[in-house]
Amino acid sequence: MNLILAPEPAPWIHQLPSLLGPGGRGEVVAPWTLPARIGRWVPAPAKLRSAWQRRTLPVPQGFRVWGLPGWVAVEAGMRLAAPSTAATFRARFAMRKRVAQAVAALLPRSVETVLAPSLCAREVFAMARSRGARCVLLEDLPSLRALHADLDEAATRHPEESFLRNHRASAEDVARQEAERVLADELWVRSEFCREWLLSAGHAPEKIRELGLLVEDSGIPRRSPGHKPGAHAHHVALLAGPALARGGLREALAAIDARPQWSLWVRPAEGTDPRHLHHPRVRQVTAETQRTLRGVDVVLAPAWCESHPHELPRAVARGIPIIATDRASGFLPCRTVPRGNVPALVAELDALSAR
């Protein structure tokens, strides 16, 4: 049998056939899920029914999902105990560890393959290997050691951005992530940067697999390849992900300061300096705009550290150009710029305006 650990909702769950191979089937341990049939049978207000549906997990044929009654209460307690983003990350990492420990204690002897995401694998992989099972690690989190180095570099460049020093994973979590890689037979990564990082760390290239990002259909037609704004039009750049210094907000602002014909659309988050939102050519956007990219001429992802904004695959699907650093480009076709290099970012904007 194949056993899949899904400690929290994630897009990769819908890619199980790719991860396990054609004809793969198995048991999915997803403690946060609710029974789909009950959600259809129980009369409830539309909002409650919608919330229930978000807790159901449609999986490909041949897979069966196992939830854990009462898990919603566990998550509610986690939210109450985690008032900040940093505390939320610590709680999420701790929860992944607990899931791995619990599954390892109950691992069936018939298991042939175990698939688990980062920080949710060490104990169950160790047990699975002792029984001759294959271990597949999904790198759904950034490489923590590299992330810390990149955040430190960004904080040195922008010392006034205190949020860049807000959170670091524990040394135990960093070691845990690296131990999981050693135990894994396959490493599925989401970017060329992550692949190169693993190769430099000594992992065999034949172990590493590519996992592309999925994107839902926004319902907006794809642009024609020749589409561009008029020569004297005002252009719109959307900053991918939350409007934070780690995502390149400061560099994006500097670029539009250098080019008055460009505006910047952003999504504020905890840690966004409110002063940046008062820029005369900065506009706050809704989740709908991020989903459809309606009115956007280019998506910017000048991230300092590894990230996987959903706006990028959406932009590819719509034919909208992307300017990104290697930390955000994944395996997508992008115009790549060095981190922190505003002149390179401006040059790419100029190239798009002149097309």
Side-chain angles (χ1 to χ4, degrees):
M1 65 168 288
N2 296 322
L3 185 66
I4 300 96
L5 278 63
E8 54 190 339
W12 61 262
I13 299 171
H14 302 286
Q15 296 171 271
L16 289 177
S18 299
L19 294 166
L20 294 173
R25 58 183 62 223
E27 310 290 321
V28 182
V29 179
W32 49 272
T33 56
L34 296 172
R37 291 182 178 178
I38 295 178
R40 289 193 296 265
W41 291 342
V42 175
K47 286 187 177 180
L48 180 57
R49 185 176 294 275
S50 176
W52 191 295
Q53 289 174 349
R54 288 195 296 271
R55 288 277 171 169
T56 62
L57 179 58
V59 291
Q61 187 175 3
F63 291 88
R64 183 168 53 172
V65 179
W66 296 93
L68 181 63
W71 191 258
V72 174
V74 174
E75 291 182 332
M78 181 189 76
R79 285 192 293 270
L80 289 173
S84 66
T85 300
T88 298
F89 277 120
R90 285 192 293 270
R92 285 179 57 200
F93 291 175
M95 191 171 294
R96 289 188 176 214
K97 178 179 178 180
R98 299 293 179 264
V99 171
Q101 291 171 335
V103 173
L106 302 171
L107 191 67
R109 293 196 172 274
S110 59
V111 69
E112 297 174 351
T113 298
V114 175
L115 186 152
S118 294
L119 303 187
C120 188
R122 192 177 69 183
E123 293 81 5
V124 71
F125 276 8
M127 182 63 70
R129 287 185 69 89
S130 71
R131 297 178 181 177
R134 182 172 63 120
C135 297
V136 179
L137 181 65
L138 186 73
E139 296 270 356
D140 70 330
L141 296 177
S143 296
L144 297 177
R145 193 177 297 277
L147 176 68
H148 292 176
D150 289 343
L151 287 172
D152 290 345
E153 185 179 352
T156 299
R157 179 72 67 89
H158 301 297
E160 68 284 3
E161 293 281 356
S162 60
F163 203 72
L164 287 170
R165 301 188 184 277
N166 183 53
H167 174 64
R168 298 291 187 274
S170 67
E172 179 186 356
D173 286 336
V174 175
R176 179 182 181 83
Q177 184 182 54
E178 294 176 350
E180 290 174 340
R181 291 167 174 165
V182 173
L183 290 168
D185 297 297
E186 292 181 17
L187 300 166
W188 286 81
V189 300
R190 299 182 294 168
S191 69
E192 190 63 40
F193 167 74
C194 187
R195 179 212 293 278
E196 293 302 316
W197 174 267
L198 292 177
L199 289 174
S200 68
H203 293 281
E206 59 269 18
K207 287 178 57 173
I208 302 173
R209 309 279 192 273
E210 294 183 13
L211 182 69
L213 285 176
L214 288 176
V215 59
E216 71 276 13
D217 183 5
S218 67
I220 305 297
R222 179 182 173 86
R223 291 185 182 179
S224 63
H227 172 84
K228 72 181 182 94
H232 303 289
H234 197 82
H235 311 325
V236 172
L238 174 73
L239 182 68
L244 297 172
R246 64 189 291 166
L249 174 61
R250 299 296 296 265
E251 286 70 31
L253 288 168
I256 67 165
D257 276 338
R259 293 296 181 266
Q261 71 270 33
W262 284 90
S263 291
L264 182 66
W265 290 3
V266 301
R267 172 172 62 86
E270 180 191 354
T272 302
D273 189 331
R275 292 175 297 178
H276 299 326
L277 304 178
H278 297 153
H279 190 288
R281 282 180 284 115
V282 169
R283 171 184 157 189
Q284 300 181 44
V285 296
T286 64
E288 179 68 10
T289 300
Q290 287 186 300
R291 185 182 70 82
T292 65
L293 303 182
R294 193 187 300 275
V296 173
D297 295 308
V298 63
V299 172
L300 303 182
W304 279 92
C305 52
E306 189 180 350
S307 59
H308 301 276
H310 293 293
E311 294 90 339
L312 270 63
R314 291 170 185 165
V316 170
R318 285 213 57 210
I320 298 173
I322 301 166
I323 304 174
T325 65
D326 62 345
R327 301 307 198 263
S329 57
F331 291 112
L332 299 171
C334 301
R335 295 168 175 259
T336 306
V337 295
R339 293 177 303 138
N341 192 322
V342 174
L345 186 55
V346 172
E348 291 294 348
L349 290 176
D350 289 345
L352 288 174
S353 299
R355 280 194 311 173

